[in-house]
Amino acid sequence: QNRKNRLFYRNLLFMSQSIQKKQITSGDMPLQRLDAPIDDEDCRFMQSFHPNEAGTEDAMAFFDMYGFIIFRDALSPQQCDDTIHDMLEFIREKHPDTFQRKDPRTWSQGLQNFGMPRGTNCLFRPSLLRIRQEPVIHQCFASVLQKEHIIVNHDRWLLQRATKDIDGNGTNCAEWETPRNIHLVLNP
């Protein structure tokens, strides 16, 4: 259960199917496709770093090369459970007659195309506010950004559902796949 929550939250925050980075040349700036390394423990996921590795040469080299970094175990299993509960509770509150927590097919009514909550611009749920202020999360971002004072956006989230074997009977759901142009916007 702990690994499941860790992986769920890791995917929730750091979505990436194929990473592209601009390679500066003497003239044009052509795009070069880079395939990020796979996690040694679980080949379904990208390479990750422990929060204690934030700011290390290896972590920074990875970030510089691929433009993203994944930190595992940055939140406790309880923090993950609380966050998942708040996200699903939001959908249940909006659609109490049709939402079923154990049936991801009923979650669509509360989600926009990218997995963002439908029908609201700001979400100030207790667990969401707590994790945005979590010291370990701050340490990871501050190390990568090389700034102690950072701006934190706490009003949005994405809920990405599994797309393969969604019912245990081999059913796949292509329309839930992460869009290739997924991005989060923060305008201070």
Side-chain angles (χ1 to χ4, degrees), residues 4 29 39 42 54 57 66 78 91 106 108 156 170 181:
K4 179 181 173 188
M29 294 177 57
D39 188 282
D42 191 333
E57 190 174 323
Y66 300 103
Q78 186 61 54
I91 300 172
T106 68
S108 296
R156 300 256 176 121
N181 65 339

Side-chain angles (χ1 to χ4, degrees), residues 19-25 28-34 64-67:
I19 303 303
Q20 294 185 344
K21 184 177 178 177
K22 291 183 179 179
Q23 180 182 37
I24 299 174
T25 63
D28 297 343
M29 294 177 57
L31 291 177
Q32 174 188 4
R33 179 186 166 102
L34 298 175
D64 289 341
M65 173 64 72
Y66 300 103

Side-chain angles (χ1 to χ4, degrees), residues 40-53:
D40 290 336
E41 295 178 27
D42 191 333
C43 65
R44 297 174 300 164
F45 300 101
M46 298 291 157
Q47 180 180 346
S48 63
F49 297 85
H50 190 274
N52 293 340
E53 297 175 278

Side-chain angles (χ1 to χ4, degrees), residues 44-142:
R44 297 174 300 164
F45 300 101
M46 298 291 157
Q47 180 180 346
S48 63
F49 297 85
H50 190 274
N52 293 340
E53 297 175 278
T56 64
E57 190 174 323
D58 286 347
M60 294 307 294
F62 185 97
F63 180 73
D64 289 341
M65 173 64 72
Y66 300 103
F68 77 96
I69 190 165
I70 299 167
F71 290 103
R72 66 181 175 278
D73 300 325
L75 296 174
S76 72
Q78 186 61 54
Q79 289 170 308
C80 293
D81 287 343
D82 292 346
T83 303
I84 294 166
H85 172 79
D86 263 359
M87 294 167 77
L88 294 176
E89 189 62 15
F90 170 82
I91 300 172
R92 188 200 61 76
E93 289 168 4
K94 296 282 187 186
H95 305 279
D97 296 332
T98 55
F99 173 77
Q100 296 177 33
R101 179 181 283 269
K102 295 188 183 212
D103 185 357
R105 292 172 291 201
T106 68
W107 303 359
S108 296
Q109 59 205 338
L111 300 174
Q112 296 178 35
N113 293 346
F114 294 114
M116 291 177 58
R118 184 184 306 272
T120 186
N121 289 326
C122 294
L123 288 166
F124 299 102
R125 307 290 276 207
S127 68
L128 300 174
L129 294 173
R130 277 193 297 274
I131 64 173
R132 299 310 202 282
Q133 300 173 62
E134 170 60 42
V136 175
I137 300 290
H138 177 269
Q139 168 201 341
C140 293
F141 277 102

